[in-house]
Amino acid sequence: PGCDGLVNQTRGGGGLNLTGPLTNTAVGVICFPFVSTAVPSFDQTFQDDQFSGTVALSFDVTDEVMAYVSYSRGFKAGGFNLDSTAAIRNNPGAGTIPANPANDSAPGNFLQEGDASFDSETVDAFELGFKSDLLERQLRLNVTGFDYSIDDFQLLEFTGVSFVTDNVKAVKVRGIEAEIIATPPIEGLTLSSSVVYSDAYYERKGCSYNPASAILADRVCGRQLTNAPKWTVNLGGVYQHDLFPVGDYDLIGTFSMNYQYRGQRRAGTTPANVSAAPGGSEATNARTQKESNILDMRLGVSTADYMVSLEGWVRNVTDERTSQVLFQIPLRTGATGGFIDEPRMYGFTVRGRF
């Protein structure tokens, strides 16, 4: 949105009114930093220290069930954006770099050179749950409820030109996870599954939602956390069976399959529709990735001691097309670019241990 916003400021009579060179203007610095000579240099230091650790209490309810509660304090150090133009993007206002080359003497037409650093991130994490081994250890059932409060969340944004890390004041993540691992009365077969429900969002602290804002925190304020679907489901299975001997070696066949469902999720920090009302839905105001279903399969054979193995595999069997990151293409209003996940891939893997 930085490039689009700056270009929109310079529009006149239905077209661009860029009468001067762009090299040392805001458009040049932000949209084409590799040709600009106006990018400031920084001589800064960053120092921080935090306390981190974990406290846990567990209790054996029965011989098969253990309940627990835990609290942990996590810490991720801050740092600097190596792209120094990040400081300009995050500090709009009066400054020394002209925003409009056609009218660079007007008040407010300059961008402020600012601070290229980002703050440390901390998290207070509470968990409550139980772990169990049931039916003579043929069924393992684990359930965990979690509540995470994250301060100064470090959000990495791709602007279409460069990667920039900025802080969002607060993030809240709440949810529950259930995991099941079963060994049914079929020799060599193991089944597994997990279900996660997560309500993760950027809190409305120190921000005001505006999808067209040049301030990152305002564009995500009160919205779903990026790449955090509400529902995630995993189903898997592994089957191993003795085959036939080859010389002095016994062979084992293995077949495995894993399926993952991920619900709709926000995949970018830039809005798909900047004119949408602030109270609009994620589908209206944000670039989102629709729900996805990914299936992986693997078939192999190995010696009983696993010294030699040969596997054939297929990832993303149904060739589902998904994106991890979606972003506004600079200078092309409404155009979306993205980093695409792996398409269907297949191959063979040979392993040997000596």
Side-chain angles (χ1 to χ4, degrees):
C3 289
D4 283 352
L6 290 172
V7 171
N8 287 335
Q9 290 178 28
T10 62
R11 290 182 185 274
L16 290 176
N17 184 21
L18 303 175
T19 59
L22 296 179
T23 302
N24 293 334
T25 66
V27 175
V29 169
I30 293 181
C31 301
F32 309 102
F34 43 85
V35 299
S36 176
T37 60
V39 178
S41 60
F42 295 89
D43 183 10
Q44 297 177 277
T45 59
F46 180 88
Q47 183 176 350
D48 196 6
D49 56 85
Q50 294 280 347
F51 172 80
S52 62
T54 300
V55 177
L57 177 66
S58 62
F59 174 72
D60 289 329
V61 181
T62 68
D63 291 340
E64 297 178 322
V65 180
M66 182 269 287
Y68 69 94
V69 60
S70 70
Y71 164 77
S72 60
R73 171 79 170 182
F75 165 70
K76 183 192 293 184
F80 298 95
N81 288 293
L82 297 180
D83 175 14
S84 57
T85 61
I88 303 173
R89 292 189 189 91
N90 297 335
N91 291 274
T96 59
I97 300 178
N100 188 343
N103 189 16
D104 60 10
S105 61
N109 275 349
F110 293 84
L111 293 185
Q112 178 71 45
E113 298 176 6
D115 188 353
S117 67
F118 52 90
D119 293 331
S120 300
E121 172 186 309
T122 59
V123 57
D124 293 301
F126 294 89
E127 294 187 358
L128 174 67
F130 68 87
K131 299 179 183 292
S132 62
D133 286 311
L134 308 173
L135 303 178
E136 297 182 350
R137 297 187 178 273
Q138 291 185 349
L139 177 65
R140 174 169 293 176
L141 173 62
N142 302 327
V143 177
T144 303
F146 52 87
D147 186 306
Y148 303 154
S149 297
I150 307 173
D151 293 328
D152 292 318
F153 179 77
Q154 294 175 5
L155 178 56
L156 178 64
E157 176 185 34
F158 184 66
T159 65
V161 177
S162 59
F163 287 94
V164 179
T165 299
D166 203 356
N167 293 103
V168 176
K169 186 66 175 177
V171 164
K172 173 65 76 172
V173 182
R174 293 191 182 102
I176 187 169
E177 177 180 7
E179 177 188 32
I180 297 176
I181 300 176
T183 53
I186 300 176
E187 185 177 356
L189 178 63
T190 302
L191 302 176
S192 62
S193 65
S194 66
V195 178
V196 179
Y197 172 79
S198 176
D199 183 19
Y201 56 92
Y202 303 100
E203 292 193 82
R204 296 181 182 274
K205 292 184 178 180
C207 61
S208 177
Y209 179 65
N210 179 0
S213 175
I215 301 174
L216 175 59
D218 287 344
R219 293 202 303 275
V220 299
C221 185
R223 299 283 146 167
Q224 181 186 22
L225 193 66
T226 309
N227 277 318
K230 286 189 176 295
W231 289 99
T232 303
V233 178
N234 286 281
L235 300 174
V238 178
Y239 178 66
Q240 290 187 319
H241 188 72
D242 293 336
L243 299 178
F244 47 84
V246 175
D248 296 331
Y249 298 97
D250 294 325
L251 298 183
I252 297 176
T254 301
F255 173 74
S256 65
M257 180 174 62
N258 186 74
Y259 162 80
Q260 183 184 70
Y261 166 84
R262 299 184 71 195
Q264 178 174 291
R265 53 200 179 273
R266 185 186 185 103
T269 57
T270 54
N273 182 3
V274 296
S275 61
S281 67
E282 280 293 308
T284 302
N285 287 356
R287 287 181 164 83
T288 57
Q289 167 61 53
K290 66 178 183 179
E291 61 184 20
S292 60
N293 300 270
I294 305 297
L295 177 64
D296 299 334
M297 304 177 72
R298 186 177 296 267
L299 179 64
V301 61
S302 67
T303 57
D305 57 6
Y306 298 101
M307 294 296 292
V308 178
S309 64
L310 171 64
E311 294 180 328
W313 48 266
V314 183
R315 291 200 290 265
N316 192 4
V317 174
T318 59
D319 200 24
E320 188 103 357
R321 299 303 175 94
T322 60
S323 301
Q324 286 199 12
V325 178
L326 297 174
F327 56 88
Q328 169 69 49
I329 297 177
L331 306 182
R332 295 184 61 189
T333 302
T336 299
F339 292 98
I340 309 301
D341 292 319
E342 286 184 351
R344 178 169 55 227
M345 298 182 66
Y346 56 88
F348 293 93
T349 302
V350 179
R351 294 186 178 92
R353 294 191 301 171
F354 305 95

